[in-house]
């Protein structure tokens, strides 16, 4: 273990810098600085507004939110934790799990994870806010993610996203990233987001609904898709299992498969024409990899 | 050395089972030589397997191309601490779409590879870290792992060999940086996915500070074939230093985008022929050999052999062989801006050059694309790139500058044109006699 003893702290030996000069003789920022041009605010300018009792309590009293909504997932949480050599590894699965209960990671969800893993709420918060799949506001029944990375964007992804923003918006105001059309959690409500590359570039432009793939989309097909979702229909994905809802798939992302991975679900379509093109071309033309020898021994190595 | 002779343009190895009905099921896999390599491997020693993979010349398929056998040999021979094998299935490099179809179509080839690799590295717990958005892969993998346990390929005393192994499928949560191996390990430990300082390398202190090897999906899925076919067979495809077949993912403005498994060293000209040529006959303008982090190529590079050496010699990198093809209708500065916005969004924020650099690069490019570029913008871009490249904590920063520097290198006029509006008054003055 290394020690920082004997190291000089930065503040103690900070060189003097007068306004208008910077380190190293650079002229960048060499003009008047903020300090030089702005007068110190006087005490009289500062707000003297009294903090309300309610606000004061919220800011100063340590409260644990009501966690009763998670009572049913305590056992499952412990089962997930048991899959890992160290409990903290279960944090990402647990965040998916609390999201499956509430449709987002609430403050209560943070506290629940912290309690299960013996972490502080701050440690859990730091993780939850790092990953884009953890939503900090309640989501719709469905999450629609449109790839707008360069390649999909060129093929129409940008146009699809823009159209869905307008189409799902209200009063002429386009729906923003991670905003929800309809009351979150109610049937037919849709949260829209633009996504980074979804790793289906040969099938672009792509979008996902609850992480099931809808490939080779157009502006019209995407509009049709979200209209069907709003009517309560669940159009089949191009690749993936039958469409459910955002909360249900979050349970699977946590690693919980309630129906024990039913065949119908696992066997959902995946073999897109594009995926199989190379293999199909080879089959059609009679192309193969060179034949393997009948029997080949593992190499000899010196015994240690 | 034998000259690879008469090798077909498409060489399905990893993709050869994909056409079979329900190729993801154990019953299908077992009918198509599945788990035969495992029996052979378990009859040998770990040292023999490491030597075999070294002999085969298999290089990491996740982008860096590090020799897999050499990486495996870094694992300590003792078992003072538990050893871990971690599969990087966090596919997200823009353009890259090979591992997800592989795991969907043939998850057992990955699992068989995991068991063999774990045996070779004396690991008894393997994690497959799958990108969270790849939900259907996660189902297929979980299902395949269950089938493998039920059949005795996983768990205690596998096939009566005395070797034990557990596999845990772990879903990520949306962060490109977790494709970086040390960030992935932090994420798997339940932390923010931020890269670690190396050394220590994962083989010395990886997951839970124990010896760990992180390998890409395609790398590990290749292993059963190498065990069955031998290193000489593997080397009948590809080149001396870049042997084997590789899944080329062709996307964008081509007639038939898709997954084409061909020997390393195949050129874009050959790939385009397989993919039916440019869409609607509109000429090629630029392309990436292996994802957006590999410097752009142009129509001048149609005959560059796409292997690790060939791509590097021509000024780019092989990367993940994610071949994104763009035709003449696409503006280079716009494409570069979109990619830069991606890196800005995905920069983890740990180190200053990348966090600040991508932020400013994106803003300058956005301004240029709006037509409000200034004369000095190109120099400013290159200056920032110079301060990000090689000065960032991990390769994300290096990748972020690739499209910008290569875009300006080959298409400087297009960037300059975006500065014209601002340059005009000065030019008019100069020309006013």
């Amino acid at each position: 273990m290394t020690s920082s003893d004997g190291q000089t702290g930065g503040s103690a030996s900070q060189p003097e810098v007068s306004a208008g000069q910077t380190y190293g003789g650079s002229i960048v920022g060499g003009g008047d600085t903020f300090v030089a041009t702005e007068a110190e605010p006087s005490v009289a300018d500062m707000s003297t507004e009294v903090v309300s009792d309610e606000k004061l309590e919220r800011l100063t009293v340590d409260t644990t939110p009501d966690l009763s909504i998670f009572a049913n997932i305590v056992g499952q949480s412990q089962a997930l934790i048991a899959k890992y050599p160290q409990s903290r590894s279960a944090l990402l699965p647990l965040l998916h799990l609390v999201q499956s209960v509430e449709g987002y990671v609430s403050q209560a969800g943070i506290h629940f994870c912290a309690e299960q893993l013996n972490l502080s709420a701050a440690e859990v918060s730091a993780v939850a806010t790092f990953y884009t799949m953890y939503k900090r506001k309640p989501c719709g029944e469905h999450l629609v993610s449109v790839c707008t990375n360069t390649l999909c964007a060129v093929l129409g992804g940008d146009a699809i996203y823009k159209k869905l923003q307008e189409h799902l918006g209200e009063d002429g105001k386009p729906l923003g990233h991670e905003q929800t059309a309809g009351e979150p959690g109610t049937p037919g409500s849709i949260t829209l987001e633009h996504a980074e590359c979804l790793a289906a570039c040969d099938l672009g432009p792509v979008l996902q609904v609850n992480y099931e793939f809808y490939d080779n989309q157009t502006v019209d097909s995407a509009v049709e898709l979200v209209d069907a979702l709003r009517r309560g229909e669940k159009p089949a994905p191009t690749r993936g299992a039958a469409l459910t809802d955002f909360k249900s798939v979050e349970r699977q992302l946590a690693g919980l498969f309630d129906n024990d991975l039913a065949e119908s679900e696992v066997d959902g379509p995946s073999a897109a024409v594009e995926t199989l093109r190379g293999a199909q071309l080879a089959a059609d033309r009679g192309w193969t990899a060179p034949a393997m020898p009948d029997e080949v021994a593992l190499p000899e190595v010196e015994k240690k | 050395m034998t000259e690879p002779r008469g090798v077909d343009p498409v060489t399905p190895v990893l993709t050869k089972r994909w056409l079979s009905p329900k190729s993801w099921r154990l019953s299908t896999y077992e009918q198509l030589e599945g788990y035969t390599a495992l029996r052979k491997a378990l009859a040998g020693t770990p040292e023999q397997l490491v030597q075999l993979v070294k002999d085969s010349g298999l290089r990491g398929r996740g982008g860096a191309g590090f020799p897999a056998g050499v990486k495996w040999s870094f694992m300590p021979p003792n078992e003072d601490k538990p050893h871990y094998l971690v599969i990087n299935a966090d596919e997200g490099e823009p353009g890259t779409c090979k591992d997800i179809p592989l795991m969907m179509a043939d998850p057992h080839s990955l699992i068989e590879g995991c068991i063999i690799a774990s045996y070779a590295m004396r690991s008894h717990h393997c994690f497959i870290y799958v990108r969270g958005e790849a939900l259907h892969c996660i189902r297929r993998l979980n299902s395949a792992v269950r089938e493998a346990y039920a059949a005795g390929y996983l768990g205690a005393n596998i096939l009566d060999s005395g070797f034990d192994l557990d596999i845990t499928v772990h879903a990520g949560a949306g962060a490109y940086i977790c494709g970086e191996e040390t960030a992935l390990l932090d994420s798997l430990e339940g932390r923010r996915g931020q890269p670690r300082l190396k050394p220590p390398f994962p083989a010395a202190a990886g997951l839970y500070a124990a010896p760990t090897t992180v390998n890409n999906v395609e790398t590990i899925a290749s292993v059963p074939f190498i065990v069955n076919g031998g290193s000489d067979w593997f080397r009948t495809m590809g080149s001396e230093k870049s042997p084997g077949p590789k899944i080329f993912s062709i996307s964008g403005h081509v007639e038939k985008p898709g997954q084409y498994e061909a020997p390393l060293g195949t050129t874009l000209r050959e790939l385009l022929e397989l993919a039916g040529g440019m869409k609607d006959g509109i000429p090629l303008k630029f392309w990436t050999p292996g994802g957006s982090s590999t410097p752009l190529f142009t129509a001048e590079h149609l005959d560059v052999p796409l292997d690790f050496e060939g791509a590097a010699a021509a000024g780019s990198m092989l990367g993940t062989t994610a071949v994104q093809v763009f035709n003449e209708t696409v503006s280079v500065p716009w494409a570069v801006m979109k990619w830069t916005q991606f890196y800005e969004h995905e920069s983890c924020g740990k180190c200053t050059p990348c966090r600040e650099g991508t932020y400013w690069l994106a803003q300058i490019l956005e301004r240029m694309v709006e037509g409000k570029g200034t004369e000095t913008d190109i120099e400013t871009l290159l200056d920032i790139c110079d301060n990000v490249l090689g000065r960032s904590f991990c390769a994300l920063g290096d990748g972020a500058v690739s499209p910008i520097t290569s875009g300006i290198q080959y298409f400087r006029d297009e960037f300059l044109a975006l500065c014209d509006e601002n340059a005009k008054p000065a030019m008019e003055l100069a020309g006013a006699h």
Side-chain angles (χ1 to χ4, degrees), chain A residues 94-111:
Chain A
L94 285 191
L95 285 164
H96 281 303
L97 186 59
V98 297
Q99 192 152 262
S100 78
V101 174
E102 293 194 289
Y104 75 119
V105 179
S106 67
Q107 209 48 36
I110 299 274
H111 278 266

Side-chain angles (χ1 to χ4, degrees), chain B residues 425-433:
Chain B
M427 281 157 63
E428 279 166 11
L429 281 178
H433 304 284

Side-chain angles (χ1 to χ4, degrees), chain B residues 106-130:
Chain B
D106 197 4
H108 281 286
S109 67
L110 173 62
I111 291 168
E112 186 176 5
C114 288
I115 308 169
I116 297 170
S118 295
Y119 175 69
M121 288 181 270
R122 300 179 170 81
S123 163
H124 301 290
H125 200 153
C126 166
F127 294 89
I128 305 178
Y129 185 106
V130 194

Side-chain angles (χ1 to χ4, degrees), chain A residues 211-248:
Chain A
Y211 307 116
E212 315 285 2
F213 279 110
Y214 293 77
D215 302 323
N216 292 315
Q217 291 294 297
T218 62
V219 168
D220 291 342
S221 69
V223 167
E224 242 171 74
L225 176 61
V226 296
D227 282 346
L229 295 174
R230 286 208 280 191
R231 289 194 301 267
E233 294 163 25
K234 296 192 170 166
T238 325
R239 290 175 300 141
L243 193 67
T244 55
D245 55 51
F246 177 63
K247 286 183 184 176
S248 305

Side-chain angles (χ1 to χ4, degrees), chain B residues 147-394:
Chain B
E147 285 181 318
Y149 269 108
Y153 298 124
L154 284 175
N157 191 21
I158 294 167
L159 300 176
D160 279 331
S161 65
F163 176 65
D164 308 335
L165 179 69
D166 287 309
I167 290 185
T168 303
V169 179
H170 183 94
Y176 166 71
I177 186 62
C178 293
E180 198 281 339
E181 64 175 7
T182 59
L184 186 151
L185 294 175
D186 259 32
S187 177
L188 186 51
E189 289 182 3
R191 298 167 195 280
R192 296 163 78 93
Q194 295 190 316
R196 300 175 180 175
L197 194 65
K198 292 192 271 193
F201 289 92
L207 187 65
Y208 313 128
T212 303
T213 295
V214 184
N215 277 140
N216 170 261
V217 170
E218 193 184 357
T219 312
I220 290 296
S222 302
V223 169
F225 298 100
I226 294 171
V227 169
N228 272 338
S231 53
D232 289 343
W233 165 79
F234 191 70
R235 286 178 171 279
T236 57
M237 291 163 279
S239 59
E240 170 71 20
K241 288 184 175 166
S242 300
K246 180 82 188 68
I247 302 175
F248 289 89
S249 308
I250 308 173
S251 61
H253 291 130
V254 298
E255 285 290 343
K256 293 175 181 172
Q259 310 295 327
Y260 295 84
E261 189 177 9
L264 278 168
T266 302
T267 64
L268 181 67
R269 191 184 297 281
E270 291 161 340
L271 291 173
L272 281 177
E273 208 161 286
L274 299 174
M278 292 298 293
K279 190 167 173 54
D280 304 325
I282 303 173
L284 169 72
K285 185 172 178 185
F286 62 101
W287 55 290
T288 67
S292 62
S293 301
T294 60
L296 300 177
F297 274 155
T298 67
E300 284 169 38
H301 302 96
L302 274 167
D303 296 308
V304 169
L306 294 177
D307 54 26
F308 292 101
E309 290 68 37
S316 187
M317 291 181 290
L318 186 66
T320 55
T321 58
V323 180
Q324 306 176 85
V325 179
F326 297 89
N327 68 21
E328 276 187 349
T329 65
V330 183
S331 150
V332 173
W334 174 86
V336 168
M337 174 196 75
K338 292 287 278 186
W339 278 318
T340 306
Q341 289 170 335
F342 163 77
Y343 291 106
E344 180 205 2
H345 181 253
E346 298 297 339
S347 175
C348 78
K350 178 162 181 160
C351 75
T352 311
C354 175
R355 181 188 64 241
E356 299 297 316
T358 54
Y359 173 84
W360 289 107
L361 288 168
Q363 292 201 56
I364 294 170
L365 284 161
E366 283 161 13
R367 178 170 75 193
M368 290 179 91
V369 169
E370 274 176 36
K372 295 177 187 161
T374 69
E375 283 173 276
T376 56
D377 273 355
I378 293 178
E379 291 319 308
T380 310
L381 282 175
L382 292 174
D383 187 42
I384 298 173
C385 288
D386 193 40
N387 280 296
V388 173
L389 180 71
R391 291 175 162 86
S392 302
F393 205 85
C394 77

